[in-house]
Amino acid sequence: MTSPFPDGFLWGASTAAYQIEGAAAEGGRGPSIWDTFAATPGKVKHGDTGDTACDHYHRWREDTAIAADLGLNAYRLSVSWSRLQPSRRGDLNPAAVAFYRELLADLRDKGIRSAVTLYHWDLPQVLEDEGGWPERATAERFGDYAARTARALGDLVDEWIPVNEAWCAAFLGYHAGVHAPGRQDRTAALRAAHHLNLAHGLAVAALREHAPAGKIGSAVIMTDIEAASDRPEDVRAARLSDGGGNRLFLDPLFRGAYPEDMLAHFAPTGAFDAVRPGDMETIAAPLDFVGVNHYHRFVVEADPDDAHLGNRALPPANPVTGFGWEIHPESLRRVLARLSDEYTGLPVYITESGASFEDAVAADGSVDDADRVAYLEGYMRAAGRAIEQGVNLRGYFVWSLLDNFEWAEGYSKRFGLVRVDYDTQRRTPKRSAEWYRGVIASNGAALYSA
Ligand code: FCB
C-alpha cells in the first residue's frame, strides 16, 4: 500500500526545557515552579529533580546530531521562561538568548524545522509568588516575554506554540495539585485556565508583530472520551468530562467563547468573572496550524461523588503502557476527525504522541523496545487513516526524542526514542529510533510494509 502521508510531512520529535536541560543554576537561570515543587519532599517520585536531567544544556550538540541522524525534519523544543527572563520582567538574559540561538541555528543548518513552545510549565517562581496563573498579571507578563523572545529568536524559529497543554498546567497544577505549583483550589484552577488561554492569545499578538515570518499554532491536549453506556446520566457525565478536558480549551481558541454548559456548571465558583471584555477575541486570534497532543481515551460513567465534573473513568479495557495509559490507536483518529469536523480545517500537527515502557537494556547496551515500536506503528497508522478520511494532517512529533524527567514520575517513566543513562549521560538510540528512521525515510510507507 502506498503511504497516505503527503509530501513534506513533518516527522518530528518533541522535548521540553525542564525535562531535558538541567543546568538549573547555570547561565543566569532563575528558579521555576518546577524547581520548587521537585525540591519539596514527597512531590516527585524518588525525590527526583530536573537539576541535571539529560544535561542537554551542555550536550545539545550530541542531541541535535542524533535528531539529524534519525532523519527528523522537525524538532519541537521549549524555551525556558525562567532562563530567558529570570527576573520576570525587562530585558532577556543574554546567556539564555545565546544558548537558544546557537541551538536553533544548528537545527536550521541541519535542515530540521524548529517548533518552539514558549511555555511548557516552567513558570518563574517569582511570578507564582505574585499569585501565578490565577492572576491576570501573569498572562500579561507572558505577553511581554513572548514579544521579547520573538524579537530575540524570531529569525530562527519556524513554528511557534505559545502554551503547552493549558489543561494540565491549570488543573494538574492548581486543582489536583500533583504538578507544580501543587495547589488544590478549583476556583484558582479555573481562573488559571482562563489566564493560560489569554496568555496564548496575547502571545499570538506579540508573535505576529515581532516574529512575522513564523507560523503560530497550539499544543492542546485532546482526550477521547466515551460514555460507558447510553444511560442519560452516563452520557451527561461524558459530556461534562469532555467539557472540562477538551471544550474548555478548544472552544475559546476556535469559537471565541467558553461552552455554555461549562459556564453554567462552574457558575457557583465565580471563576469566570475573570473574563474581561475583549479577552475572547484575543484568545480566538487566527492561527496557522493546530497542534494536538494525544495520550488518552477515557470511558466514563456518572459518579455523584465526583464534585468536579460528576464522572469517573472505568479501568482500561485494553493493554496499557508503562504509565498505565490505555493503548487505543483509534482514539487518535477519532480526536483528529473531531477536530476537523467540529472546529477547524487548519493544518494539523500531532505535537505529542508516544509511550513509556519498562525498557530492558541488553548486555551489549542495546534496547529492543518492541512495545514502543508497536505503539507508534499503531498510532501512526491511525494518523494515516485520519488523512485518508480528509483530515489535513501535516506532521507527527513523537514524545519524546530522549528519556527525560517525567514530571511527578521523575525518571521512572521513559518515553524516549533514545535511552539516557542518567549516571553517565550516555545516549543510546533504541530499536524504536532505528525503526522511526525507516518510517521517515519512506515517508510513512514502511508502516504498511510489514
Ligand atoms: C504531556 C506533556 C509532556 C510529557 C508527556 C508524557 O502531557 O506535555 O511534557 O510529560 O505528557
Side-chain angles (χ1 to χ4, degrees):
M1 161 179 177
T2 52
S3 170
F5 296 91
D7 287 346
F9 194 80
L10 297 187
W11 298 100
S14 292
T15 61
Y18 188 74
Q19 294 180 275
I20 65 167
E21 281 182 7
E26 287 178 60
R29 179 181 175 281
S32 80
I33 55 174
W34 268 97
D35 296 294
T36 308
F37 189 74
T40 309
K43 297 297 186 191
V44 175
K45 195 177 257 180
H46 304 135
D48 291 345
T49 75
D51 287 357
T52 307
C54 306
D55 196 28
H56 175 77
Y57 187 75
H58 298 113
R59 295 169 195 263
W60 62 267
R61 283 186 184 79
E62 194 181 339
D63 297 334
T64 57
I66 291 171
D69 188 54
L70 293 186
L72 301 188
N73 56 12
Y75 173 62
R76 173 173 173 238
L77 66 142
S78 82
V79 291
S80 160
W81 190 353
S82 54
R83 193 179 285 293
L84 279 165
Q85 210 178 26
S87 60
R88 96 199 187 293
R89 46 172 54 91
D91 291 348
L92 298 186
N93 165 18
V97 171
F99 165 62
Y100 290 120
R101 286 196 65 83
E102 241 191 307
L103 169 59
L104 291 165
D106 182 58
L107 289 169
R108 186 157 284 185
D109 287 348
K110 290 182 159 65
I112 300 174
R113 286 183 80 86
S114 58
V116 170
T117 309
L118 287 171
Y119 186 70
H120 203 123
W121 305 354
D122 43 4
L123 184 70
Q125 180 62 43
V126 280
L127 289 175
E128 176 61 23
D129 295 343
E130 292 172 7
W133 286 111
E135 294 302 320
R136 186 181 184 89
T138 303
E140 288 164 353
R141 296 254 55 87
F142 185 75
D144 168 75
Y145 154 68
R148 291 174 192 272
T149 304
R151 286 198 293 270
L153 307 178
D155 57 319
L156 293 171
V157 175
D158 297 303
E159 271 83 30
W160 292 98
I161 296 171
V163 173
N164 180 68
E165 297 182 357
W167 179 85
C168 292
F171 287 98
L172 298 181
Y174 292 90
H175 182 215
V178 296
H179 278 188
R183 283 160 66 178
Q184 291 180 312
D185 173 344
R186 186 168 74 145
T187 302
L190 290 162
R191 292 171 60 92
H194 176 62
H195 293 138
L196 282 151
N197 286 336
L198 180 62
H200 161 92
L202 293 170
V204 172
L207 291 164
R208 289 276 182 239
E209 184 178 348
H210 299 287
K215 304 261 188 259
I216 309 175
S218 61
V220 186
I221 186 162
M222 271 189 87
T223 298
D224 185 27
I225 292 169
E226 288 176 50
S229 80
D230 51 16
R231 291 189 312 161
E233 56 269 44
D234 288 343
V235 172
R236 186 179 132 74
R239 184 78 186 149
L240 280 180
S241 170
D242 175 56
N246 295 321
R247 291 183 288 117
L248 208 49
F249 301 91
L250 290 167
D251 282 30
L253 286 181
F254 299 109
R255 297 182 178 161
Y258 285 106
E260 288 296 335
D261 63 336
M262 289 290 103
L263 292 175
H265 183 76
F266 292 123
T269 69
F272 285 93
D273 295 355
V275 181
R276 297 213 189 141
D279 283 3
M280 301 316 293
E281 291 73 21
T282 301
I283 296 168
L287 295 175
D288 303 310
F289 67 91
V290 46
V292 174
N293 295 3
H294 173 74
Y295 293 98
H296 299 289
R297 166 174 90 143
F298 292 127
V299 179
V300 305
E301 63 182 7
D303 177 5
D305 293 335
D306 171 30
H308 180 40
L309 290 162
N311 73 89
R312 117 181 114 216
L314 301 186
N318 292 291
V320 297
T321 68
F323 222 126
W325 297 349
E326 185 181 18
I327 302 172
H328 192 255
E330 180 61 8
S331 284
L332 176 60
R333 188 202 60 77
R334 282 166 51 98
V335 299
L336 294 172
R338 178 189 186 190
L339 188 69
S340 84
D341 291 348
E342 295 181 26
Y343 287 101
T344 173
L346 283 174
V348 183
Y349 299 126
I350 296 161
T351 33
E352 287 182 26
S353 167
S356 70
F357 288 104
E358 302 281 330
D359 296 333
V361 185
D364 66 357
S366 64
V367 180
D368 184 358
D369 55 341
D371 36 18
R372 184 171 293 101
V373 170
Y375 182 99
L376 290 171
E377 186 171 79
Y379 278 75
M380 286 178 182
R381 285 185 182 189
R385 292 197 294 281
I387 294 171
E388 284 161 358
Q389 197 189 318
V391 173
N392 190 8
L393 185 70
R394 306 280 187 88
Y396 195 120
F397 292 75
V398 174
W399 185 271
S400 177
L401 179 64
L402 305 170
D403 290 340
N404 60 48
F405 176 84
E406 178 43 44
W407 309 115
E409 295 296 320
Y411 297 101
S412 70
K413 297 284 182 274
R414 293 177 176 272
F415 279 86
L417 295 164
V418 175
R419 182 174 179 90
V420 176
D421 177 327
Y422 296 110
D423 294 328
T424 61
Q425 291 295 346
R426 177 146 179 245
R427 274 83 164 131
T428 308
K430 303 176 190 175
R431 179 151 82 83
S432 56
E434 301 304 329
W435 169 87
Y436 192 29
R437 188 209 311 271
V439 171
I440 297 169
S442 67
N443 197 37
L447 293 166
Y448 303 94
S449 60

